[in-house]
């Protein structure tokens, strides 16, 4: 038998053994380099073909080609097997895979409520103003016509930040009215959303921190009819076209006259239910004609200008609207609750 063919038999056996022992990608690669690379053992066999006697060349050459093809087949088969048994590790980075979507959150129901109310007033020509949450006694009380030692101050359980009680956390958004009027001359058409603070026991119906939206409209000749028209237009857009409403007299130091606005309960349509405590009506905001004293504080002439103001509590409105009977839920940030909005 030709010596080269003997060698090739030997190499085939060596290859079989090496392949059987290769159990991972690195070992397999070493086998490939040893047998199948440019200077590998198989290539060396072909190299020696030139020394084979001419009459034997065709048969030996054919045998070597068969050997090479078989070795390649075996190698590829083993490679496939290894890849399958190691899962997808061979293709750890597959850039063609679709991405994994990250769920994005939704806006908080309180933010949604503020945005909706804001949108309605903006469509009526109001613009937005903001003020600080840390306020002075002057803006939170004095310029809003709360006289010193007036009992109305005690009604708003205040967090004071300074010993002399001159610096505090605002108890309502009404101080932004003062800041707005100090900054500009009439006409004023502004709504002022923001966070307010009250030193109260936390319960299902009250929080130490909540939100209000304040509104202010000042111009020549503004009347109580303008107040009613504006607030009724708002209520119809926000609560529904056929909502019933009523205004009842009340007291605020910074408005005269003052009124509470009620709407017919949108759950029972006024016949009485748990939500409206069987009265058929829901109080939704406080309002009134800006007190002349307030105009004096900001340097507006009450003989020339008149205006109306209103304020509403967002958590209250949102809890009525969504039927949430414990307003603490708005701040627990339980996604099972938040996902419902
Ligand atoms: N500031 C009042 C409160 O905190 C709400 C309010 C009532 C605001 C009447 C107003 C208003 O602007 O005119 O309870």
């Amino acid at each position: 038998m030709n010596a080269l063919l003997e060698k090739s038999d030997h190499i085939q056996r060596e290859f079989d053994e090496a392949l059987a022992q290769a159990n991972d990608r690195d070992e397999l690669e070493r086998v490939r380099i040893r047998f199948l690379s440019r200077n590998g053992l198989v290539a060396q066999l072909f190299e020696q073909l030139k020394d084979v006697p001419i009459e034997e060349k065709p048969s030996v050459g054919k045998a070597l080609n068969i050997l090479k093809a078989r070795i390649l087949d075996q190698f590829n088969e083993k490679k496939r097997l290894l890849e399958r048994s190691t899962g997808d590790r061979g293709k750890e980075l597959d850039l063609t895979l679709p991405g994994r979507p990250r769920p994005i959150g939704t806006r908080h129901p309180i933010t949604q409520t503020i945005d909706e109310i804001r949108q309605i007033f903006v469509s009526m020509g109001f613009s937005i103003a903001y003020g600080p949450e840390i306020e002075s006694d002057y803006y939170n009380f004095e310029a809003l016509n709360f006289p010193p030692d007036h009992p109305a101050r005690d009604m708003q359980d205040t967090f004071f930040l300074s010993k002399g009680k001159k610096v505090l956390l605002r108890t309502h958004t009404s101080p932004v009215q003062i800041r707005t009027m100090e900054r500009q001359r009439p006409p004023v058409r502004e709504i002022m959303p923001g966070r307010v603070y009250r030193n109260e026991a936390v319960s299902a119906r009250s929080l130490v921190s909540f939100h209000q939206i304040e509104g202010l409209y000042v111009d020549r000749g503004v009347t109580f009819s303008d107040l009613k028209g504006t607030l009724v237009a708002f209520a119809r857009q926000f609560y529904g076209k056929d909502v019933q409403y009523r205004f009842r007299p009340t007291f605020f130091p910074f408005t005269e006259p003052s009124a509470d606005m009620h709407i017919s309960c949108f759950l029972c349509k006024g016949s009485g239910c748990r939500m409206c405590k069987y009265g058929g009506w829901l109080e939704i905001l406080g309002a009134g004609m800006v007190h002349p004293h307030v105009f004096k504080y900001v340097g507006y002439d009450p003989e020339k200008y008149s205006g109306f103001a209103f304020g509403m509590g967002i958590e209250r409105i949102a809890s009525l609207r969504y039927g949430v009977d414990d307003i603490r839920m708005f701040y627990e940030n339980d996604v099972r609750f938040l996902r419902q909005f």
Side-chain angles (χ1 to χ4, degrees):
M1 191 185 177
N2 179 286
L4 195 52
L5 288 184
E6 254 180 57
K7 249 191 212 163
S8 80
D9 275 354
H10 186 67
I11 283 172
Q12 173 75 61
R13 261 177 276 129
E14 259 185 71
F15 176 76
D16 289 345
E17 218 180 295
L19 196 66
Q21 277 165 19
N23 282 318
D24 62 36
R25 271 203 289 173
D26 290 347
E27 291 172 17
L28 197 65
E29 175 63 4
R30 261 176 257 133
V31 171
R32 189 192 67 76
I33 290 167
R34 178 160 163 228
F35 292 91
L36 290 164
S37 64
R38 192 127 54 101
N39 298 312
L41 293 173
V42 173
Q44 283 172 29
L45 284 177
F46 279 92
E47 188 63 23
Q48 291 163 44
L49 199 54
K50 64 177 189 301
D51 303 320
V52 171
I54 188 107
E55 64 282 13
E56 283 181 51
K57 253 185 196 158
S59 63
V60 175
K62 195 175 168 194
L64 289 187
N65 275 326
I66 290 169
L67 170 91
K68 186 182 177 185
R70 190 169 53 227
I71 282 182
L72 254 177
D73 273 348
Q74 285 175 275
F75 179 85
N76 286 332
E77 176 62 16
K78 177 82 183 208
K79 189 173 165 196
R80 219 169 301 136
L81 269 176
L82 262 185
E83 264 169 19
R84 206 173 307 152
S85 67
T86 53
D88 273 336
R89 250 189 279 153
K91 356 180 160 86
E92 267 159 297
L93 193 62
D94 183 347
L95 297 176
T96 66
L97 282 175
R100 293 189 195 91
R102 275 167 191 272
I104 48 169
T106 54
R107 283 178 310 148
H108 192 276
I110 295 300
T111 310
Q112 288 182 36
T113 307
I114 293 174
D115 287 350
E116 249 181 87
I117 295 171
R118 183 163 65 177
Q119 192 43 49
I120 292 170
F121 282 103
V122 165
S123 77
M124 292 195 265
F126 284 73
S127 42
I128 323 278
Y130 299 96
E133 291 174 20
I134 296 174
E135 264 299 3
S136 62
D137 175 273
Y138 178 79
Y139 286 104
N140 197 79
F141 292 125
E142 190 181 335
L144 286 162
N145 197 35
F146 287 79
D149 304 319
H150 192 282
R153 291 187 180 221
D154 300 334
M155 280 161 47
Q156 311 216 343
D157 309 88
T158 310
F159 283 115
F160 293 100
L161 298 179
S162 69
K163 272 221 185 84
K165 297 192 170 183
K166 287 295 172 203
V167 184
L168 46 84
L169 291 175
R170 67 180 178 191
T171 58
H172 51 178
T173 42
S174 303
V176 191
Q177 286 187 33
I178 305 298
R179 292 179 176 277
T180 299
M181 288 189 281
E182 278 182 348
R183 227 183 13 239
Q184 66 185 87
R185 310 312 302 166
V188 175
R189 267 184 240 95
E190 217 89 347
I191 57 160
M192 310 151 223
R195 191 184 278 272
V196 302
Y197 300 84
R198 300 265 173 105
N199 189 0
E200 284 176 56
V202 172
S203 73
R205 313 190 66 225
S206 64
L207 296 165
V208 287
S209 164
F210 55 99
H211 295 78
Q212 290 186 335
I213 288 190
E214 192 81 13
L216 179 66
Y217 191 138
V218 182
D219 204 348
R220 286 173 192 267
V222 176
T223 68
F224 201 88
S225 301
D226 296 312
L227 178 158
K228 281 175 79 174
T230 305
L231 294 178
V232 169
F234 157 73
R236 287 195 172 136
Q237 275 199 61
F238 191 75
Y239 294 101
K241 268 206 279 301
D242 43 38
V243 72
Q244 302 288 303
Y245 60 85
R246 71 182 187 190
F247 289 85
R248 312 197 106 187
T250 184
F251 172 80
F252 299 109
F254 38 91
T255 47
E256 181 60 32
S258 304
D260 281 329
M261 183 180 183
H262 299 230
I263 57 164
S264 51
C265 177
F266 38 81
L267 203 63
C268 64
K269 305 277 175 245
S271 59
C273 70
R274 221 186 68 164
M275 167 122 86
C276 57
K277 304 214 184 57
Y278 303 97
W281 294 97
L282 299 167
E283 186 196 320
I284 57 159
L285 55 82
M289 301 305 291
V290 179
H291 199 292
H293 287 180
V294 172
F295 282 151
K296 288 250 168 80
Y297 274 104
V298 297
Y300 284 13
D301 181 355
E303 297 296 324
K304 233 158 105 186
Y305 297 110
S306 58
F308 66 82
F310 55 91
M312 53 188 125
I314 305 304
E315 279 75 2
R316 174 174 169 78
I317 282 175
S319 61
L320 291 176
R321 197 174 198 211
Y322 298 124
V324 174
D325 51 18
D326 186 336
I327 63 173
R328 288 172 291 195
M329 287 203 259
F330 285 121
Y331 293 100
E332 281 161 4
N333 281 337
D334 185 329
V335 288
R336 290 168 301 178
F337 173 77
L338 295 175
R339 275 206 187 109
Q340 298 174 54
F341 300 94

